[in-house]
Amino acid sequence: MHSGNFMQQIKFLLQDLGIPLFYAKLVLGILFSFLITFYSIPPILKISLQKNLIDEPGVRSSHLRKIPNLGGIAMFFSLSVCASIFAFELFEIYKFLFASLVILLYIGVMDDIVVMRAYKKLIAQIVVTSLIVIGSDVRIRNFFGLFAIYELNYYVSVFISIFTFIILINAFNLIDGIDGLAGTCSILCSAMFGISYFRLGEYNYPLVVLSGVIIGSVAGFLVYNLSGNNAKKIFMGDTGSMILGFLLAFTAINFIDIFIDKKLPQVPRYYLQSAPAIAMAILILPITDTLNVIIIRLILGKSPFIADRNHIHHSLLDLGLSHKKSTFYIITYFIFIVMVAYFFRHINVNLLLMVILMLGFIGAYIPKLILLLRK
């Protein structure tokens, strides 16, 4: 049977039941991606322990025990299966999306098992992001008056888009330092982008489904990552954090792109001048944490690539908070920033961006300030 006919029959069946196809795809996408991750992790845990594929606690590590770190493989498995079934339209529109995810899986697993050299990882990330930016034309085309810049020249647009992808892929990797933080942050970012896409109409429904699949997949992983039972605990590793960073950069750039009038007959027109600032607010946690760490390293005359304990979560752990409490505080503050951005979304885009970044940096320095006062 032809897949098109099969989908038609499912459509008719759902119509008879009075269920719109979109809701069926969204619910099943979330449910199956959760179940696939949830049931894939136990065998990965078993193999990791048998073959000693385990994360050794290092200098900047906030863990004291050896924990398997290949949870990202289960997430990739559920994402690639469920997204290509329930949001298949995306893989038709963005021809290089699947290839990019497979390359990231390979680099991530290599890095989690044998630790790749930073420059090799960077070269691979440039290849992946060039595929999606140049090959699939997923790019930042317009600054909406940010820094008094509007439409971007094609080559400038390509350069800025590749740079944005690489920053976000690595930023998610950097916040993945305590239990639950990168996972919860990814779920919230996906939920916010997903709700925004949903409100922007049917044309964006495949991106809503993708956001749902990311949520389901990460939720299945968090069951183990936040488990109190150390025998069940697993990290997402570089594989998971790079794939999540990549997909969230992809959804963010598409979100900004919606507000550019394409002048196409089938595509509805929206306009929100603060779109880049809103996208920045949703991704504020990895962005400010990364900027903050790079600034501190440069001030101290260190290489920006050398690991240290200057992350927001390290400051909270130094205050004596547990992993779960640190994650809770960071996420609560993050939600506060997004609410501020949403409330003031109609003010000047430059002013809004300044407010968002300022709040982000204040949040990064509050724990450091408390530590200083305690001393």
Side-chain angles (χ1 to χ4, degrees):
M1 186 190 286
H2 190 266
S3 63
N5 295 341
F6 180 63
M7 283 309 289
Q8 282 300 113
Q9 287 189 324
I10 288 177
K11 218 170 179 174
F12 292 139
L13 176 67
L14 290 168
Q15 272 172 359
D16 292 342
L17 297 168
I19 304 165
L21 182 63
F22 160 69
Y23 290 106
K25 280 183 178 179
L26 181 62
V27 171
L28 292 173
I30 295 171
L31 179 69
F32 280 110
S33 60
F34 174 84
L35 292 173
I36 292 173
T37 305
F38 184 78
Y39 286 109
S40 305
I41 286 179
I44 291 171
L45 274 169
K46 194 175 167 189
I47 293 164
S48 297
L49 293 166
Q50 280 173 355
K51 306 284 180 192
N52 201 32
L53 303 171
I54 292 171
D55 184 46
E56 300 273 352
V59 181
R60 61 180 280 270
S61 176
S62 43
H63 291 86
L64 305 170
R65 308 186 172 71
K66 296 177 176 182
I67 309 272
N69 63 341
L70 294 175
I73 296 175
M75 281 157 56
F76 168 81
F77 179 37
S78 76
L79 279 164
S80 54
V81 169
C82 295
S84 55
I85 293 173
F86 300 108
F88 63 88
E89 301 92 340
L90 291 177
F91 295 93
E92 289 174 0
I93 302 166
Y94 306 108
K95 297 279 187 276
F96 294 96
L97 181 57
F98 198 74
S100 301
L101 289 171
V102 174
I103 300 167
L104 281 175
L105 169 77
Y106 177 76
I107 316 163
V109 172
M110 286 288 287
D111 198 40
D112 286 330
I113 294 175
V114 293
V115 184
M116 283 173 81
R117 300 286 292 274
Y119 78 92
K120 285 185 180 174
K121 212 157 87 174
L122 183 63
I123 291 168
Q125 289 172 359
I126 291 169
V127 170
V128 167
T129 51
S130 300
L131 273 179
I132 198 83
V133 171
I134 300 166
S136 295
D137 207 32
V138 176
R139 55 192 176 86
I140 300 168
R141 299 161 208 274
N142 197 310
F143 267 24
F144 294 78
L146 201 56
F147 315 120
I149 300 167
Y150 288 87
E151 203 164 329
L152 296 172
N153 162 293
Y154 176 76
Y155 297 101
V156 173
S157 162
V158 165
F159 174 77
I160 288 174
S161 306
I162 289 174
F163 182 72
T164 303
F165 263 107
I166 290 171
I167 288 288
L168 284 167
I169 288 171
N170 291 297
F172 267 89
N173 192 0
L174 290 176
I175 62 164
D176 184 31
I178 54 172
D179 295 342
L181 183 58
T184 313
C185 178
S186 306
I187 286 180
L188 284 169
C189 292
S190 297
M192 287 166 195
F193 282 127
I195 292 164
S196 306
Y197 282 129
F198 178 70
R199 291 181 61 196
L200 292 166
E202 258 179 73
Y203 183 75
N204 305 299
Y205 279 1
L207 285 158
V208 182
V209 176
L210 174 68
S211 300
V213 167
I214 295 171
I215 291 169
S217 169
V218 178
F221 158 78
L222 282 178
V223 173
Y224 296 93
N225 182 239
L226 293 171
S227 168
N229 178 353
N230 277 315
K232 283 186 172 177
K233 203 174 210 38
I234 194 165
F235 298 152
M236 65 170 72
D238 276 14
T239 313
S241 61
M242 286 203 298
I243 286 171
L244 289 176
F246 172 80
L247 285 173
L248 286 162
F250 172 80
T251 44
I253 291 173
N254 272 309
F255 170 76
I256 296 168
D257 206 49
I258 287 174
F259 299 100
I260 298 168
D261 189 354
K262 316 272 189 319
K263 298 184 172 60
L264 293 172
Q266 319 85 353
V267 183
R269 282 153 211 199
Y270 311 100
Y271 191 68
L272 179 67
Q273 199 217 347
S274 58
I278 298 287
M280 190 89 142
I282 294 175
L283 296 166
I284 193 68
L285 175 55
I287 290 169
T288 45
D289 190 46
T290 305
L291 287 175
N292 169 45
V293 168
I294 290 171
I295 291 164
I296 293 173
R297 287 174 191 170
L298 292 174
I299 289 169
L300 297 174
K302 292 180 180 173
S303 158
F305 304 107
I306 302 292
D308 56 27
R309 285 184 57 86
N310 282 314
H311 293 280
I312 302 167
H313 55 262
H314 287 136
S315 306
L316 288 165
L317 294 176
D318 293 342
L319 283 171
L321 295 179
S322 67
H323 280 225
K324 284 179 187 168
K325 276 186 178 163
S326 301
T327 294
F328 177 76
Y329 282 118
I330 295 172
I331 293 296
T332 307
Y333 189 76
F334 159 66
I335 293 170
F336 159 70
I337 295 178
V338 175
M339 283 167 70
V340 169
Y342 181 74
F343 189 73
F344 291 110
R345 68 190 181 281
H346 295 302
I347 66 169
N348 177 283
V349 64
N350 290 286
L351 185 61
L352 184 59
L353 184 68
M354 213 165 71
V355 169
I356 291 163
L357 283 172
M358 208 168 67
L359 287 172
F361 279 106
I362 289 170
Y365 284 97
I366 289 172
K368 292 186 196 300
L369 197 66
I370 297 170
L371 262 175
L372 273 174
L373 292 172
R374 275 195 188 174
K375 285 174 183 173

